[in-house]
Amino acid sequence: MTKKLSLPALVIATSCLALHAAHAAAPAATAASALPKLVVVLVVDGLPNEQVQRYRDQFGQGGKGGLRRMLDQGASFSNAHQAHGITVTAIGHSAVLTGAYPYVHGVIGNNWIDPITKKSVYCTEDTNYSYIGEDTKPSDGTAPTRLKVDTLGDQLRYATGSRSKVVTVSGKDRGAILLAGKTGTAYMYMDKSGNFASSTFYMKAHPAWVQQYQAGKPQDRYYGKSWTPLLPEAAYAGDASEDLNQVKAGTHNRLPYAYYSESGEIDAGYYNSLKTGPFLDQLTLDFARAAVEGENLGRNPAGVPDLLGVSLSAHDYVNHAFGPESKMSHDHLQRVDRMLGDFFNYLDQRVGMDNVLVVLTADHGFPNTPEFSRTQHIDAQRIDGDKLMNALDQHLSEKFGGAKLLSAWSLPNIHLDYAQIDKSGLKREDVENAAARYLLAQNGIVEAYTRTQLESGAANTTRIATLMRRAWNREASGDLMVVAKPYWYFGTGSSGTSHGSPYAYDTNVPLMIMGKRWIKPGAYGQYAEVVDIAPTLANLLHVRPPAGAEGRVLTETLR
């Protein structure tokens, strides 16, 4: 419940966007007339910018480190944000190349409640399509159907008469699909077979180069191998104690970290275990190399730019399990740096880095584990969301004559049963307000926004309110949205951590751009957003921005 303002939601949202855009000058022309031959868009899933800054002195030197190369030779923003209030993988990936917020692009979470059926849906599920040569469940991600706008890659293909190639690859289906847009081609890791595969949305059968890659079964080479520390032990002296994080039975939280299966054979259990650690990212980059060669990316015979999107998923799994303060996360980021260094060296030989424009960002950041935060005298807890919702359901029933008025939830979104509210002769706004008042009285909840507030523009104008409003889609989102206190999050258990909040530890992500023909290297302190990437690339490629793009062109970085 927040103080009402008279401005309508659209006017407030437009004002916020205008303030952001006011920093931009008119798009600058590139110093070089030649366009990039290849645009590489890298997303490191779950990488908070603070980790880049904290560990940057240990990144590889002399061409060995990719993050080091981006920092030294590219433009890097220290104050860049995924500027929406629900910071999860699907929303963050959608922002990168659409330049849009959830209230426009329609992807409001990894999963959410369908407002019609009241059943949970997955962001990229579509039962009309299936994985090629792989088992497919109804809830598996196969298509960008729920993404309501186009992407930079779609605009590039439109501008070149579909001659530009757009290929994406990720350890997660949503990481590949939401970067590929409507007309690109996505490949994703299959955790039951260890293959990278596409879906029938994109093609009927894999091209020969994919079949050849799969036949080599590179995923099997890590069986029985261990993830070991990359750096001398003294380099990890500042990391959190490994005893803080009590992991689940049957798992461990220390290096060396072995990869095997309970059956003693290479099986789905082994392939799934690869997701936590550096080997999934190495496989992703290996497949990206195969795509560069198989599709001849960067050597397009039509002389037009191609786009390669690569989302490295494993850092997210590592941070969820062990926290960004852990030795595991520290070492993993160092390995990502070295893997990217090797990948850039490969691109230099294959395409020539003078012909390549690289962007690197993340889909969201991460908070520390509550256990670590409490050692820093920070109030941090997990909130049992189901328990909270059951209590809210009971409260509303008792207050309004016994009717069941809460229909479903996928926090932070909560859905009321408006049909039952109307049938009971109640006012929708009265029930919304009663629910919001109850939630605000519960430990760990600091904000509750109602549909009436969000539709009328009556929510306050704080930064948190602005970010939550951007994350709320009128057609798909709930009738209430709640915000937990800083360092509190919705979850159970006694280990690990999770993201999803509007706070800086979740929104502040790296944003780096490298390409010496087009980009002025340097450290930039200006405020920037991930939604600025698509308009900036559109400007450099001389194509139309995606339909929903609201970011600005990062003119300060352009030659």
Side-chain angles (χ1 to χ4, degrees), residues 13 80 101-102 116 142 161 193 223 249 265 282 298 315 361 376 401 414 426 452 460 475 494 511 541:
Y101 303 115
I116 305 300
T142 57
S193 68
Y223 190 84
E265 299 180 355
Q282 186 61 66
H315 201 65
T361 191
Q376 308 301 300
I414 303 168
L426 302 170
T452 298
N460 62 41
E475 294 180 350
S494 58
L511 199 171
L541 294 170

Side-chain angles (χ1 to χ4, degrees), residues 7 13 20 23 28 58 80 110 128 155 178 220 222 262 264 280 296-297 312 335 351 378 389 397 405 409 428 430 507:
L7 292 175
H20 179 51
H23 294 286
Q58 296 177 340
N110 294 335
N128 292 304
Q155 290 294 342
L178 297 171
D220 291 358
Y222 298 114
E262 293 299 325
L280 173 61
N296 216 21
L297 301 179
L312 301 177
R335 290 189 172 275
V351 183
I378 294 172
M389 290 299 98
S397 179
L405 304 179
W409 60 85
R428 295 182 179 186
D430 289 344
T507 66

Side-chain angles (χ1 to χ4, degrees), residues 200-273:
T200 54
F201 173 84
Y202 303 100
M203 63 189 79
K204 293 181 179 180
H206 286 140
W209 68 265
V210 175
Q211 297 176 37
Q212 182 179 0
Y213 182 88
Q214 290 182 345
K217 296 192 76 66
Q219 64 269 36
D220 291 358
R221 68 178 180 257
Y222 298 114
Y223 190 84
K225 301 291 179 62
S226 292
W227 166 18
T228 57
L230 180 69
L231 305 176
E233 190 61 31
Y236 307 99
D239 297 333
S241 169
E242 293 168 326
D243 294 328
L244 268 179
N245 196 30
Q246 300 301 314
V247 296
K248 297 176 182 178
T251 63
H252 56 291
N253 63 346
R254 287 169 169 77
L255 300 177
Y257 190 95
Y259 294 89
Y260 55 90
S261 67
E262 293 299 325
S263 69
E265 299 180 355
I266 296 176
D267 59 14
Y270 158 70
Y271 294 131
N272 187 64
S273 74

Side-chain angles (χ1 to χ4, degrees), residues 85 133 139 177 256 259 320 379 427 432 437 492:
S139 60
I177 290 170
Y259 294 89
H320 269 296
D379 182 22
K427 291 184 178 179
E432 291 172 358
R437 282 192 294 269
T492 56

